[in-house]
Coordinates of all heavy atoms in Angstrom, one line a residue:
M1 N 174.8 156.0 128.1 CA 173.9 156.1 127.0 C 174.3 155.2 125.9 O 175.4 155.0 125.5 CB 174.0 157.6 126.5 CG 173.0 157.9 125.4 SD 173.1 159.6 125.2 CE 171.9 160.2 124.2
V2 N 173.3 154.5 125.4 CA 173.5 153.5 124.3 C 173.6 154.2 123.0 O 172.8 155.0 122.6 CB 172.3 152.5 124.3 CG1 172.5 151.4 123.3 CG2 172.2 151.8 125.7
P3 N 174.6 153.8 122.1 CA 174.7 154.4 120.8 C 173.5 154.1 119.9 O 172.9 153.0 120.0 CB 176.0 153.8 120.2 CG 176.6 153.1 121.4 CD 175.6 152.8 122.4
L4 N 173.2 155.0 119.0 CA 172.1 154.8 118.1 C 172.3 153.6 117.2 O 171.3 152.9 116.9 CB 171.9 156.0 117.2 CG 170.8 156.0 116.2 CD1 169.5 155.9 116.9 CD2 170.9 157.3 115.3
S5 N 173.5 153.2 116.9 CA 173.8 152.1 116.0 C 173.3 150.8 116.6 O 172.9 149.9 115.9 CB 175.3 152.0 115.7 OG 176.0 151.8 116.9
W6 N 173.3 150.7 117.9 CA 172.8 149.5 118.6 C 171.3 149.3 118.4 O 170.9 148.2 118.1 CB 173.1 149.5 120.1 CG 174.6 149.3 120.4 CD1 175.7 149.4 119.5 CD2 175.2 149.0 121.6 NE1 176.8 149.2 120.1 CE2 176.6 148.9 121.5 CE3 174.6 148.8 122.9 CZ2 177.4 148.6 122.5 CZ3 175.5 148.5 123.9 CH2 176.9 148.4 123.7
Y7 N 170.6 150.4 118.5 CA 169.2 150.3 118.3 C 168.9 150.0 116.8 O 168.0 149.2 116.5 CB 168.5 151.6 118.6 CG 168.4 151.9 120.1 CD1 169.2 153.0 120.6 CD2 167.7 151.2 121.0 CE1 169.1 153.2 122.0 CE2 167.6 151.4 122.3 CZ 168.4 152.4 122.8 OH 168.3 152.7 124.2
L8 N 169.6 150.6 115.9 CA 169.4 150.3 114.5 C 169.8 148.9 114.1 O 169.1 148.2 113.3 CB 170.2 151.3 113.6 CG 169.8 152.8 113.8 CD1 170.7 153.6 112.9 CD2 168.3 153.0 113.5
S9 N 170.8 148.3 114.8 CA 171.2 147.0 114.5 C 170.1 146.0 115.0 O 169.8 145.0 114.4 CB 172.5 146.6 115.2 OG 173.5 147.5 114.7
L10 N 169.6 146.3 116.2 CA 168.5 145.4 116.8 C 167.3 145.5 115.9 O 166.7 144.5 115.6 CB 168.2 145.9 118.2 CG 167.0 145.2 118.9 CD1 167.3 143.7 119.0 CD2 166.7 145.8 120.2
S11 N 167.0 146.7 115.4 CA 165.8 146.9 114.6 C 166.0 146.1 113.3 O 165.1 145.5 112.8 CB 165.6 148.3 114.3 OG 164.5 148.5 113.4
A12 N 167.2 146.2 112.7 CA 167.5 145.4 111.4 C 167.4 143.9 111.7 O 166.8 143.2 110.8 CB 168.8 145.8 110.9
L13 N 167.9 143.5 112.8 CA 167.8 142.0 113.1 C 166.3 141.6 113.3 O 165.9 140.6 112.7 CB 168.6 141.7 114.4 CG 168.6 140.3 114.9 CD1 169.3 139.4 113.9 CD2 169.1 140.2 116.3
L14 N 165.5 142.4 114.0 CA 164.1 142.1 114.1 C 163.4 142.1 112.8 O 162.6 141.2 112.5 CB 163.4 143.1 115.0 CG 163.7 143.0 116.5 CD1 163.0 144.1 117.3 CD2 163.2 141.6 117.1
F15 N 163.7 143.0 111.9 CA 163.1 143.1 110.6 C 163.5 141.9 109.7 O 162.6 141.3 109.1 CB 163.5 144.4 109.9 CG 162.6 144.7 108.7 CD1 161.4 145.4 108.9 CD2 163.0 144.3 107.5 CE1 160.6 145.6 107.8 CE2 162.2 144.6 106.4 CZ 161.0 145.3 106.5
V16 N 164.7 141.5 109.8 CA 165.2 140.3 109.0 C 164.5 139.0 109.5 O 164.1 138.2 108.7 CB 166.7 140.2 109.0 CG1 167.2 138.9 108.4 CG2 167.3 141.4 108.2
I17 N 164.4 138.9 110.8 CA 163.7 137.7 111.4 C 162.3 137.7 110.9 O 161.8 136.6 110.5 CB 163.8 137.7 112.9 CG1 165.3 137.4 113.3 CG2 162.9 136.6 113.5 CD1 165.5 137.6 114.8
G18 N 161.6 138.8 110.9 CA 160.2 138.9 110.5 C 160.1 138.6 109.0 O 159.2 137.9 108.5
L19 N 161.0 139.1 108.2 CA 161.0 138.9 106.8 C 161.2 137.4 106.4 O 160.6 136.9 105.6 CB 162.1 139.8 106.1 CG 162.1 139.8 104.6 CD1 160.8 140.4 104.1 CD2 163.3 140.5 104.1
C20 N 162.1 136.8 107.2 CA 162.3 135.3 107.0 C 161.1 134.6 107.3 O 160.7 133.6 106.6 CB 163.5 134.8 107.8 SG 165.1 135.4 107.2
G21 N 160.4 135.0 108.4 CA 159.1 134.3 108.7 C 158.1 134.5 107.7 O 157.3 133.6 107.4
V22 N 158.0 135.7 107.1 CA 157.0 135.9 106.0 C 157.3 135.1 104.8 O 156.4 134.5 104.2 CB 156.9 137.4 105.7 CG1 156.1 137.6 104.4 CG2 156.3 138.1 106.8
L23 N 158.6 135.0 104.4 CA 159.0 134.4 103.1 C 159.1 132.9 103.2 O 158.9 132.2 102.2 CB 160.3 135.0 102.6 CG 160.2 136.5 102.3 CD1 161.6 136.9 101.8 CD2 159.3 136.7 101.1
L24 N 159.5 132.4 104.4 CA 159.8 130.9 104.5 C 158.6 130.1 105.1 O 158.6 128.9 104.9 CB 161.0 130.7 105.3 CG 162.3 131.4 104.7 CD1 163.5 131.2 105.7 CD2 162.6 130.9 103.3
R25 N 157.8 130.7 105.9 CA 156.7 129.9 106.5 C 155.4 129.9 105.7 O 155.2 130.8 104.9 CB 156.4 130.5 107.9 CG 157.5 130.4 108.8 CD 157.9 129.0 109.1 NE 159.0 128.9 110.1 CZ 159.2 127.8 110.8 NH1 158.4 126.8 110.7 NH2 160.2 127.8 111.6
R26 N 154.7 128.8 105.9 CA 153.4 128.7 105.1 C 152.2 128.7 106.0 O 151.1 128.5 105.6 CB 153.4 127.4 104.3 CG 154.4 127.4 103.2 CD 154.1 128.5 102.2 NE 155.2 128.8 101.4 CZ 155.5 130.0 101.0 NH1 154.8 131.1 101.4 NH2 156.6 130.3 100.3
N27 N 152.4 128.9 107.3 CA 151.2 129.0 108.3 C 150.8 130.4 108.4 O 151.7 131.3 108.6 CB 151.7 128.4 109.6 CG 150.5 128.3 110.6 OD1 149.5 129.0 110.4 ND2 150.7 127.5 111.6
I28 N 149.6 130.7 108.2 CA 149.1 132.1 108.2 C 149.3 132.8 109.5 O 149.6 134.0 109.6 CB 147.6 132.2 107.7 CG1 147.3 133.6 107.3 CG2 146.7 131.7 108.7 CD1 146.1 133.7 106.4
L29 N 149.2 132.1 110.6 CA 149.4 132.7 111.9 C 150.9 133.1 112.1 O 151.2 134.2 112.7 CB 149.0 131.7 113.1 CG 147.5 131.5 113.2 CD1 147.2 130.5 114.3 CD2 146.8 132.8 113.5
I30 N 151.8 132.3 111.6 CA 153.2 132.6 111.7 C 153.5 133.8 110.8 O 154.3 134.7 111.2 CB 154.1 131.4 111.3 CG1 153.9 130.2 112.1 CG2 155.6 131.8 111.3 CD1 154.4 130.3 113.5
I31 N 152.9 133.9 109.7 CA 153.1 135.0 108.8 C 152.6 136.3 109.5 O 153.2 137.4 109.4 CB 152.4 134.8 107.4 CG1 153.1 133.7 106.7 CG2 152.3 136.1 106.6 CD1 152.4 133.2 105.4
L32 N 151.4 136.2 110.1 CA 150.9 137.4 110.8 C 151.8 137.9 112.0 O 152.1 139.1 112.2 CB 149.5 137.1 111.3 CG 148.4 137.1 110.3 CD1 147.1 136.6 110.9 CD2 148.2 138.4 109.6
M33 N 152.4 136.9 112.7 CA 153.3 137.3 113.8 C 154.6 137.9 113.2 O 155.1 138.8 113.8 CB 153.6 136.0 114.6 CG 152.5 135.6 115.5 SD 152.9 134.4 116.8 CE 153.3 133.0 115.7
S34 N 155.0 137.4 112.1 CA 156.2 137.9 111.5 C 156.0 139.3 111.0 O 156.9 140.2 111.1 CB 156.6 137.0 110.3 OG 157.0 135.8 110.8
L35 N 154.8 139.6 110.5 CA 154.5 141.0 110.1 C 154.5 141.9 111.3 O 154.9 143.1 111.2 CB 153.1 141.0 109.4 CG 153.1 140.5 107.9 CD1 151.6 140.4 107.4 CD2 153.9 141.3 107.0
E36 N 153.9 141.4 112.4 CA 154.0 142.2 113.6 C 155.4 142.5 114.1 O 155.7 143.6 114.5 CB 153.2 141.5 114.7 CG 151.7 141.3 114.5 CD 151.0 142.6 114.4 OE1 151.3 143.6 115.1 OE2 150.1 142.7 113.5
L37 N 156.3 141.5 113.9 CA 157.7 141.7 114.3 C 158.3 142.8 113.4 O 159.1 143.6 113.9 CB 158.4 140.4 114.2 CG 159.7 140.3 114.8 CD1 159.6 140.5 116.3 CD2 160.3 138.9 114.6
M38 N 158.0 142.8 112.1 CA 158.5 143.8 111.2 C 158.0 145.2 111.6 O 158.8 146.1 111.5 CB 158.1 143.4 109.8 CG 158.8 142.2 109.3 SD 158.2 141.5 107.7 CE 158.6 142.8 106.6
L39 N 156.7 145.3 111.9 CA 156.2 146.6 112.3 C 156.9 147.1 113.6 O 157.1 148.2 113.8 CB 154.7 146.5 112.5 CG 153.9 146.5 111.2 CD1 152.5 146.2 111.4 CD2 154.1 147.9 110.5
N40 N 157.1 146.1 114.5 CA 157.8 146.5 115.8 C 159.2 147.0 115.5 O 159.7 147.9 116.2 CB 157.8 145.4 116.8 CG 156.5 145.2 117.4 OD1 155.7 146.1 117.6 ND2 156.2 143.9 117.8
A41 N 159.9 146.4 114.5 CA 161.2 146.9 114.1 C 161.2 148.4 113.6 O 162.0 149.2 114.0 CB 161.8 146.0 113.1
V42 N 160.1 148.7 112.9 CA 159.9 150.0 112.4 C 159.7 151.0 113.5 O 160.2 152.1 113.6 CB 158.8 150.1 111.3 CG1 158.5 151.5 110.9 CG2 159.2 149.3 110.1
I43 N 158.8 150.5 114.5 CA 158.5 151.4 115.6 C 159.8 151.6 116.4 O 160.0 152.8 116.9 CB 157.4 150.7 116.5 CG1 156.1 150.7 115.8 CG2 157.3 151.3 117.9 CD1 155.0 149.9 116.4
L44 N 160.6 150.6 116.6 CA 161.9 150.8 117.3 C 162.8 151.9 116.6 O 163.4 152.7 117.3 CB 162.6 149.5 117.4 CG 164.0 149.5 118.2 CD1 163.7 150.0 119.6 CD2 164.6 148.2 118.1
N45 N 162.8 151.9 115.3 CA 163.5 152.9 114.6 C 163.0 154.3 114.8 O 163.7 155.2 115.1 CB 163.5 152.6 113.1 CG 164.6 151.7 112.6 OD1 165.7 151.7 113.3 ND2 164.5 151.1 111.5
F46 N 161.7 154.4 114.8 CA 161.0 155.7 115.0 C 161.4 156.2 116.4 O 161.7 157.4 116.5 CB 159.5 155.6 114.8 CG 159.0 155.8 113.4 CD1 158.3 154.9 112.8 CD2 159.3 157.0 112.7 CE1 157.8 155.0 111.5 CE2 158.9 157.2 111.4 CZ 158.1 156.2 110.8
V47 N 161.3 155.4 117.4 CA 161.5 155.8 118.8 C 163.0 156.2 119.0 O 163.3 157.2 119.7 CB 161.0 154.8 119.8 CG1 161.4 155.1 121.2 CG2 159.5 154.7 119.7
A48 N 163.9 155.4 118.4 CA 165.3 155.6 118.6 C 165.7 156.9 118.0 O 166.4 157.8 118.6 CB 166.1 154.5 118.0
F49 N 165.3 157.2 116.7 CA 165.6 158.4 116.1 C 164.9 159.6 116.8 O 165.5 160.7 116.9 CB 165.2 158.4 114.6 CG 166.2 157.8 113.7 CD1 165.9 156.6 113.1 CD2 167.5 158.3 113.6 CE1 166.8 156.0 112.2 CE2 168.4 157.7 112.8 CZ 168.1 156.5 112.1
S50 N 163.7 159.4 117.3 CA 163.0 160.5 118.0 C 163.8 160.8 119.3 O 163.9 162.0 119.6 CB 161.6 160.0 118.4 OG 161.0 160.9 119.2
F51 N 164.3 159.9 120.0 CA 165.1 160.2 121.2 C 166.4 160.9 120.9 O 166.7 161.9 121.5 CB 165.4 158.8 121.9 CG 166.2 159.0 123.2 CD1 165.7 159.6 124.3 CD2 167.5 158.7 123.2 CE1 166.5 159.8 125.4 CE2 168.3 158.8 124.3 CZ 167.8 159.4 125.4
Y52 N 167.1 160.4 119.9 CA 168.4 161.0 119.5 C 168.3 162.3 118.9 O 169.2 163.2 119.0 CB 169.2 160.0 118.7 CG 169.9 159.0 119.6 CD1 169.4 157.8 119.8 CD2 171.1 159.3 120.2 CE1 170.0 156.8 120.6 CE2 171.7 158.4 121.1 CZ 171.1 157.2 121.2 OH 171.7 156.3 122.1
L53 N 167.2 162.6 118.2 CA 167.0 163.9 117.6 C 166.2 164.9 118.5 O 166.0 166.0 118.1 CB 166.3 163.8 116.2 CG 167.0 163.0 115.2 CD1 166.2 162.8 113.9 CD2 168.3 163.7 114.8
Q54 N 165.8 164.4 119.6 CA 165.0 165.2 120.6 C 163.8 165.8 119.9 O 163.5 167.0 120.0 CB 165.9 166.3 121.2 CG 167.1 165.8 122.0 CD 166.6 165.0 123.2 OE1 165.7 165.5 123.9 NE2 167.2 163.9 123.5
D55 N 163.1 165.0 119.2 CA 161.8 165.4 118.5 C 160.8 164.3 118.9 O 161.0 163.1 118.8 CB 162.1 165.4 117.0 CG 161.0 166.1 116.3 OD1 160.1 166.7 116.9 OD2 161.0 166.0 115.0
L56 N 159.6 164.8 119.2 CA 158.5 163.9 119.6 C 157.7 163.3 118.4 O 156.9 162.4 118.6 CB 157.5 164.6 120.5 CG 158.0 164.8 121.9 CD1 157.0 165.6 122.7 CD2 158.4 163.5 122.6
R57 N 158.0 163.8 117.2 CA 157.2 163.3 116.1 C 157.4 161.8 115.8 O 156.5 161.1 115.4 CB 157.6 164.1 114.8 CG 157.0 165.5 114.8 CD 157.3 166.2 113.5 NE 158.7 166.6 113.6 CZ 159.2 167.4 112.7 NH1 158.5 167.8 111.7 NH2 160.5 167.8 112.8
G58 N 158.6 161.2 116.1 CA 158.8 159.8 115.9 C 158.0 159.0 116.9 O 157.5 157.9 116.6
Q59 N 157.9 159.5 118.1 CA 157.1 158.7 119.1 C 155.6 158.8 118.9 O 154.9 157.9 119.1 CB 157.5 159.3 120.5 CG 158.9 159.0 120.9 CD 159.3 159.7 122.2 OE1 158.4 160.1 123.0 NE2 160.6 159.7 122.5
I60 N 155.2 160.0 118.3 CA 153.8 160.1 118.0 C 153.5 159.2 116.8 O 152.4 158.5 116.8 CB 153.5 161.6 117.6 CG1 153.6 162.4 118.9 CG2 152.1 161.7 117.0 CD1 153.5 163.9 118.6
M61 N 154.4 159.1 115.8 CA 154.2 158.2 114.7 C 154.1 156.7 115.2 O 153.4 155.9 114.7 CB 155.3 158.4 113.7 CG 155.1 157.5 112.5 SD 153.7 157.9 111.5 CE 154.2 159.4 110.7
A62 N 155.0 156.4 116.2 CA 155.0 155.0 116.8 C 153.6 154.7 117.4 O 153.1 153.6 117.2 CB 156.1 154.9 117.8
I63 N 153.0 155.7 118.1 CA 151.7 155.4 118.6 C 150.6 155.2 117.6 O 149.8 154.3 117.7 CB 151.3 156.6 119.5 CG1 152.2 156.6 120.8 CG2 149.8 156.5 119.9 CD1 152.0 157.9 121.6
F64 N 150.7 156.0 116.5 CA 149.8 155.7 115.3 C 150.0 154.3 114.7 O 149.0 153.7 114.4 CB 149.9 156.8 114.3 CG 149.3 158.1 114.6 CD1 150.0 159.3 114.6 CD2 148.0 158.2 115.0 CE1 149.4 160.5 114.9 CE2 147.3 159.3 115.4 CZ 148.1 160.5 115.3
I65 N 151.2 153.9 114.6 CA 151.5 152.6 114.0 C 151.0 151.5 114.9 O 150.4 150.5 114.4 CB 153.0 152.4 113.8 CG1 153.5 153.4 112.7 CG2 153.4 151.0 113.4 CD1 155.0 153.4 112.5
I66 N 151.1 151.7 116.2 CA 150.5 150.7 117.2 C 149.0 150.6 117.0 O 148.5 149.5 117.0 CB 151.0 151.0 118.6 CG1 152.5 150.8 118.8 CG2 150.2 150.2 119.6 CD1 153.1 151.3 120.1
A67 N 148.4 151.7 116.9 CA 146.9 151.8 116.7 C 146.5 151.1 115.4 O 145.5 150.3 115.4 CB 146.4 153.2 116.8
I68 N 147.2 151.4 114.3 CA 146.9 150.7 113.1 C 147.2 149.2 113.1 O 146.4 148.4 112.6 CB 147.7 151.4 111.9 CG1 147.2 152.8 111.7 CG2 147.6 150.6 110.6 CD1 148.1 153.7 110.8
T69 N 148.2 148.9 113.8 CA 148.5 147.4 114.0 C 147.5 146.7 114.7 O 147.1 145.6 114.4 CB 149.9 147.3 114.7 OG1 150.9 148.0 113.9 CG2 150.3 145.8 114.8
A70 N 146.9 147.3 115.8 CA 145.8 146.7 116.5 C 144.6 146.5 115.6 O 144.0 145.4 115.7 CB 145.5 147.6 117.7
A71 N 144.3 147.4 114.8 CA 143.2 147.3 113.9 C 143.5 146.2 112.9 O 142.6 145.4 112.5 CB 142.9 148.6 113.2
E72 N 144.7 146.1 112.4 CA 145.1 145.1 111.4 C 145.0 143.7 112.0 O 144.5 142.8 111.4 CB 146.5 145.4 110.9 CG 147.1 144.4 110.0 CD 148.1 143.5 110.6 OE1 148.8 144.0 111.6 OE2 148.3 142.4 110.1
V73 N 145.4 143.6 113.3 CA 145.3 142.3 113.9 C 143.9 141.8 114.1 O 143.5 140.7 113.9 CB 146.0 142.3 115.3 CG1 145.7 141.1 116.2 CG2 147.5 142.4 115.1
A74 N 143.0 142.7 114.4 CA 141.6 142.4 114.6 C 141.0 141.9 113.3 O 140.3 140.8 113.3 CB 140.8 143.6 115.1
V75 N 141.3 142.6 112.2 CA 140.7 142.1 110.9 C 141.4 140.8 110.5 O 140.7 139.9 110.0 CB 141.0 143.2 109.8 CG1 140.7 142.8 108.4 CG2 140.2 144.5 110.2
A76 N 142.7 140.7 110.6 CA 143.4 139.5 110.2 C 142.9 138.3 111.0 O 142.7 137.2 110.4 CB 144.9 139.7 110.4
L77 N 142.7 138.4 112.3 CA 142.2 137.3 113.1 C 140.8 136.9 112.7 O 140.4 135.7 112.7 CB 142.3 137.6 114.6 CG 143.7 137.5 115.1 CD1 143.7 137.9 116.6 CD2 144.4 136.2 114.9
A78 N 140.0 137.9 112.3 CA 138.6 137.5 111.8 C 138.7 136.7 110.5 O 138.0 135.8 110.3 CB 137.8 138.8 111.6
I79 N 139.6 137.1 109.7 CA 139.8 136.4 108.4 C 140.3 135.0 108.7 O 139.9 134.0 108.1 CB 140.7 137.2 107.5 CG1 140.1 138.4 107.0 CG2 141.2 136.3 106.3 CD1 141.0 139.3 106.2
V80 N 141.3 134.9 109.6 CA 141.8 133.5 110.0 C 140.7 132.6 110.5 O 140.6 131.4 110.2 CB 143.0 133.7 110.9 CG1 143.4 132.4 111.6 CG2 144.2 134.3 110.2
I81 N 139.9 133.2 111.4 CA 138.8 132.4 112.0 C 137.8 131.9 110.9 O 137.4 130.8 110.9 CB 138.1 133.1 113.1 CG1 139.0 133.3 114.3 CG2 136.8 132.5 113.5 CD1 138.5 134.2 115.4
A82 N 137.5 132.8 110.0 CA 136.6 132.5 108.9 C 137.2 131.4 108.0 O 136.5 130.5 107.5 CB 136.3 133.7 108.1
L83 N 138.5 131.5 107.7 CA 139.2 130.5 106.9 C 139.2 129.2 107.6 O 139.1 128.1 106.9 CB 140.6 131.0 106.5 CG 140.7 132.0 105.4 CD1 142.2 132.5 105.3 CD2 140.2 131.5 104.1
T84 N 139.5 129.2 108.9 CA 139.6 127.9 109.6 C 138.2 127.2 109.6 O 138.1 126.0 109.5 CB 140.0 128.2 111.0 OG1 141.3 128.9 111.0 CG2 140.2 126.9 111.8
R85 N 137.1 128.0 109.8 CA 135.8 127.4 109.8 C 135.4 126.8 108.4 O 134.8 125.8 108.3 CB 134.8 128.4 110.2 CG 134.8 128.7 111.7 CD 133.7 129.7 112.1 NE 133.8 130.0 113.5 CZ 133.1 130.9 114.1 NH1 132.3 131.6 113.4 NH2 133.2 131.1 115.4
N86 N 135.8 127.6 107.3 CA 135.4 127.2 106.0 C 136.3 126.1 105.4 O 135.9 125.2 104.6 CB 135.3 128.4 105.1 CG 134.1 129.3 105.5 OD1 133.2 128.8 106.1 ND2 134.2 130.5 105.1
R87 N 137.6 126.3 105.6 CA 138.6 125.4 104.9 C 139.2 124.4 105.8 O 139.9 123.5 105.3 CB 139.7 126.3 104.2 CG 139.2 127.3 103.4 CD 139.0 126.9 102.0 NE 138.6 128.0 101.2 CZ 138.4 127.9 99.9 NH1 138.7 126.8 99.3 NH2 138.0 129.0 99.2
A88 N 139.2 124.6 107.1 CA 139.8 123.7 108.1 C 141.3 123.6 107.9 O 141.9 122.6 108.2 CB 139.1 122.3 108.1
T89 N 141.9 124.7 107.5 CA 143.4 124.7 107.3 C 143.9 126.1 107.6 O 143.2 127.1 107.4 CB 143.8 124.2 106.0 OG1 145.2 124.1 105.9 CG2 143.3 125.1 104.8
L90 N 145.1 126.2 108.0 CA 145.8 127.5 108.1 C 147.0 127.6 107.2 O 147.7 128.6 107.2 CB 146.3 127.7 109.6 CG 145.2 127.9 110.6 CD1 145.7 128.0 112.0 CD2 144.3 129.1 110.3
R91 N 147.2 126.6 106.4 CA 148.3 126.7 105.4 C 148.0 127.6 104.2 O 146.9 127.5 103.6 CB 148.7 125.3 104.9 CG 149.3 124.4 106.0 CD 149.8 123.1 105.5 NE 150.6 123.2 104.4 CZ 151.9 123.4 104.4 NH1 152.5 123.5 105.5 NH2 152.6 123.4 103.3
V92 N 148.9 128.5 103.9 CA 148.7 129.4 102.8 C 148.6 128.7 101.5 O 147.8 129.1 100.6 CB 149.8 130.5 102.8 CG1 149.7 131.4 101.7 CG2 149.9 131.2 104.1
D93 N 149.4 127.6 101.3 CA 149.3 126.9 100.0 C 148.0 126.3 99.8 O 147.6 126.1 98.6 CB 150.4 125.8 100.0 CG 151.8 126.4 100.1 OD1 152.0 127.6 99.7 OD2 152.7 125.7 100.6
D94 N 147.3 125.9 100.8 CA 146.0 125.2 100.6 C 144.8 126.2 100.4 O 143.8 125.8 100.0 CB 145.6 124.4 101.9 CG 146.7 123.3 102.1 OD1 147.3 122.9 101.1 OD2 146.8 122.8 103.2
I95 N 145.0 127.5 100.6 CA 144.0 128.5 100.4 C 144.3 129.1 99.1 O 145.1 129.9 98.9 CB 144.0 129.5 101.5 CG1 143.9 128.9 102.9 CG2 143.0 130.6 101.3 CD1 144.2 129.8 104.0
N96 N 143.5 128.7 98.1 CA 143.8 129.2 96.7 C 142.9 130.3 96.2 O 143.1 130.9 95.3 CB 143.8 128.0 95.7 CG 142.5 127.3 95.8 OD1 141.6 127.6 96.4 ND2 142.5 126.2 95.0
S97 N 141.7 130.5 96.9 CA 140.8 131.5 96.5 C 140.1 132.0 97.7 O 139.9 131.3 98.7 CB 139.9 131.0 95.4 OG 139.0 130.1 96.0
M98 N 139.5 133.2 97.6 CA 138.8 133.8 98.7 C 137.3 133.8 98.3 O 136.5 134.6 98.9 CB 139.2 135.2 98.9 CG 140.6 135.4 99.5 SD 140.8 134.7 101.1 CE 139.9 135.9 102.0
K99 N 136.9 132.9 97.4 CA 135.5 132.9 97.0 C 134.7 132.3 98.2 O 135.1 131.4 98.8 CB 135.3 132.0 95.8 CG 135.8 132.6 94.5 CD 135.4 131.8 93.3 CE 136.6 131.0 92.9 NZ 136.3 130.2 91.7
G100 N 133.5 132.8 98.4 CA 132.6 132.4 99.5 C 131.7 131.3 99.0 O 131.0 130.6 99.5

């Protein structure tokens, strides 16, 4: 059986990698992937604690987070496609307003 600290360490590493991607990158697709990585780190925490505490609430919460993440990806990709068509760029620095 793998200790809980290994799961928490892996989750912290995934979260830090995602946070660095959000803070250091300027491409909107990289930022979206980094946000997904951060959410996956949170899901890993929920599932690990759920397993070690023998409680299903963490796993149920993980399913809800996955569903919300799928909806977020659909909306975010629609915004990215609209920005690409209107501005012809994916760099966050070049997008200064959301005026249509």
